[in-house]
C-alpha cells in the first residue's frame, strides 16, 4: 500500500487500511465495509457513545482494550478487531439491556437477532416508549443538524427522559 504522509496506517481485522489522522474509527470502518453495530451514531452528528454497541478491541502495542468505535480516533499502528469472543460477549450483554429497556424497537430486535440474542419473555406494559433507549440521537440531530434545540435530555438514571427545553409542559418521558 503506498503511503500518503497525511494519512495514518492501521489495520481492521487484519486488513491494512489508511485514514486521515484523528478520523473516528466507526465511519472509516463502515466506509470500508466492516460491520459494526450501533444505535446512537448517525453521519453528520457528533459522536456520543451512549448505546455502547460499537465496541471493538483496540491493540495499541502495549495493551489491548475495549473501546467505542464511534468516538475513537484512528492512529498509526493501531490494530482493531471488530469481532472477538470478548467483544461479542459484551455486545450481547449490551443488547440484552437495550431489549429490556425497549423491547418493541425493530432496530434493537434486528441487532439482537444478528447477535444471537433472543427477545425477552414476559414483556410488561408501562408508560414509557418501549422503542427508545434514550441514546440522545434525536436531541443531537435536532440541535446539530436542524439547529432548533427543541428537545433535549433531562434527568439521570431511571428518571432520564427526552423533554422540551427547561422541562416545560408538553415534554414526555420515554
Amino acid at each position: 500500500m503506498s503511503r500518503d504522509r497525511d494519512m495514518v496506517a492501521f489495520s481492521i481485522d487484519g486488513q491494512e487500511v489508511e485514514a486521515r489522522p484523528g478520523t473516528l474509527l466507526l465511519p472509516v470502518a463502515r466506509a470500508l465495509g466492516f460491520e459494526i453495530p450501533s444505535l446512537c451514531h448517525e453521519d453528520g452528528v457528533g459522536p456520543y457513545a451512549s448505546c455502547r454497541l460499537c465496541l471493538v478491541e483496540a491493540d495499541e502495542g502495549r495493551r489491548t482494550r475495549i473501546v467505542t468505535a464511534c468516538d475513537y480516533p484512528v492512529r498509526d499502528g493501531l490494530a482493531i478487531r471488530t469481532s472477538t469472543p470478548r467483544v461479542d460477549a459484551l455486545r450481547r450483554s449490551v443488547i440484552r439491556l437495550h431489549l429490556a429497556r425497549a423491547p418493541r424497537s425493530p432496530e434493537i430486535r434486528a441487532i439482537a437477532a444478528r447477535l444471537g440474542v433472543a427477545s425477552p419473555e414476559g414483556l410488561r406494559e408501562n408508560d414509557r416508549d418501549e422503542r427508545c433507549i434514550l441514546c440522545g440521537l434525536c436531541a443531537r440531530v435536532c440541535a446539530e443538524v436542524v439547529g432548533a434545540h427543541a428537545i433535549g435530555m433531562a434527568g439521570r438514571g431511571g428518571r432520564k427522559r427526552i423533554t422540551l427545553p427547561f422541562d416545560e409542559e408538553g415534554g414526555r418521558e420515554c
Side-chain angles (χ1 to χ4, degrees):
M1 176 184 297
S2 69
R3 181 96 190 261
D4 181 338
R5 63 181 158 151
D6 291 333
M7 304 290 267
V8 293
F10 61 102
S11 69
I12 302 175
D13 293 339
Q15 180 180 331
E16 292 298 318
V17 298
E18 289 184 336
R20 298 223 177 273
T23 304
L24 298 177
L25 178 59
L26 184 62
V28 170
R30 284 187 171 168
L32 294 169
F34 293 95
E35 187 177 326
I36 300 174
S38 72
L39 292 166
C40 67
H41 175 80
E42 186 67 40
D43 289 339
V45 180
Y48 200 60
S50 67
C51 78
R52 312 311 274 183
L53 282 172
C54 66
L55 297 173
V56 295
E57 209 168 78
D59 184 347
E60 300 181 48
R62 296 183 313 264
R63 64 182 177 156
T64 299
R65 60 188 185 144
I66 300 293
V67 300
T68 48
C70 68
D71 67 347
Y72 196 75
V74 299
R75 327 181 212 301
D76 237 354
L78 186 63
I80 298 294
R81 286 181 293 285
T82 63
S83 181
T84 66
R86 186 175 169 201
V87 166
D88 296 344
L90 287 168
R91 280 190 191 144
R92 283 191 299 274
S93 293
V94 169
I95 201 67
R96 280 187 193 97
L97 293 171
H98 291 324
L99 272 171
R101 168 73 193 179
R104 291 175 180 30
S105 166
E107 294 87 0
I108 292 171
R109 285 179 173 264
I111 293 170
R114 282 196 309 270
L115 295 175
V117 174
S119 296
E121 296 295 322
L123 300 177
R124 63 185 174 94
E125 294 295 322
N126 57 45
D127 61 351
R128 73 174 189 251
D129 182 345
E130 291 192 349
R131 293 165 293 162
C132 178
I133 61 165
L134 298 171
C135 70
L137 180 60
C138 59
R140 291 181 294 121
V141 167
C142 186
E144 296 174 31
V145 177
V146 178
H149 300 275
I151 57 175
M153 304 293 285
R156 297 174 74 177
R159 296 177 190 257
K160 186 176 182 181
R161 65 195 180 285
I162 301 290
T163 187
L164 298 174
F166 307 109
D167 218 8
E168 290 181 11
E169 287 296 315
R172 68 184 188 105
E173 292 190 15
C174 287

